[in-house]
Amino acid sequence: MSKTETTDYFRDLYELDADRSLSLAEKIEHTVALGRERLDVQRGLLTFTGRGEYEVIESTITDGAYESGTVHDLETTYCRHVVGDEEVLAISDVEDSAYSDDIAADTTETQCYIGAPLTVDRETFGTLCYSGNSARERAFTEDESRFVELLARRMSRELEREKHYATLESQNERLNEYAELLAHD
């Protein structure tokens, strides 16, 4: 990978962080699309695996098994390795890898995959992953793996921030209700 391509990855990350006007849903959508485009693969997904299932929160797939809102068995996906190992997994050619006999090769029809874990409050939330139906001509580079890891960290921060805002809002509502009760007494 050239120095220019590496610089482009960092510019993309900076631009994602710089736009404060985006909602969480828009940030997720942009992140999933950006990674898919940058890695030149067919699919990008952000998933929730907190209950042991594989729930697709956002997907570049608009029609089919892994479109947004679908739920699958986590144990039939490559993401189970990401969740279990809590680290980036990159497979450029499934057939020429240690994962050639993995159940995910049959159930997902995926031939290349790269994914990173999402964590919220130090707990695994899910995955950010990118994949394709054909093997890549070249292996995923260290920079590409680092890029996916940084995208996942960024999304983890955003998800955590949203969770904390929701908690604060709920606490404020309870305090207001309590204050109203005291005012009536």
Side-chain angles (χ1 to χ4, degrees):
M1 176 171 298
S2 72
K3 187 173 182 171
T4 302
E5 288 175 308
T6 301
T7 302
D8 289 345
Y9 284 134
F10 290 112
R11 186 194 69 239
D12 291 340
L13 286 168
Y14 172 78
E15 287 174 359
L16 279 173
D17 281 338
D19 191 349
R20 304 257 183 225
S21 67
L22 298 176
S23 68
L24 177 61
E26 291 169 324
K27 289 176 185 178
I28 290 171
E29 183 181 342
H30 285 238
T31 299
V32 170
L34 173 66
R36 189 205 62 73
E37 182 181 308
R38 273 276 168 216
L39 297 166
D40 194 28
V41 294
Q42 294 169 315
R43 298 180 292 270
L45 293 92
L46 186 138
T47 69
F48 173 70
T49 60
R51 293 184 296 271
E53 295 178 318
Y54 184 79
E55 181 180 349
V56 180
I57 304 298
E58 178 64 37
S59 175
T60 59
I61 301 168
T62 57
D63 185 31
Y66 292 92
E67 66 185 306
S68 298
T70 59
V71 179
H72 308 274
D73 180 4
L74 176 62
E75 293 305 310
T76 63
T77 69
Y78 291 111
C79 290
R80 78 181 187 283
H81 300 293
V82 173
V83 170
D85 298 339
E86 297 180 346
E87 62 184 26
V88 174
L89 173 64
I91 309 167
S92 299
D93 183 353
V94 168
E95 294 301 317
D96 191 29
S97 76
Y99 298 92
S100 61
D101 291 335
D102 196 285
I103 189 170
D106 293 328
T107 59
T108 65
E109 300 177 9
T110 295
Q111 291 303 310
C112 70
Y113 171 94
I114 186 167
L118 299 169
T119 57
V120 175
D121 292 333
R122 297 187 186 122
E123 304 258 332
T124 301
F125 175 89
T127 62
L128 177 64
C129 59
Y130 303 94
S131 62
N133 288 339
S134 56
R136 290 188 83 198
E137 291 181 16
R138 60 181 176 77
F140 286 108
T141 66
E142 204 173 295
D143 284 340
E144 289 171 325
S145 291
R146 193 171 22 251
F147 179 66
V148 172
E149 181 180 13
L150 290 172
L151 284 174
R153 284 184 186 176
R154 178 186 176 278
M155 285 306 349
S156 292
R157 279 193 330 268
E158 294 295 336
L159 291 164
E160 194 168 276
R161 183 178 298 133
E162 187 73 16
K163 178 183 174 187
H164 289 246
Y165 284 149
T167 300
L168 284 173
E169 192 172 302
S170 175
Q171 288 172 346
N172 284 339
E173 286 175 15
R174 284 193 302 252
L175 284 172
N176 287 337
E177 289 171 9
Y178 183 68
E180 286 177 18
L181 278 173
L182 288 176
H184 287 294
D185 288 344

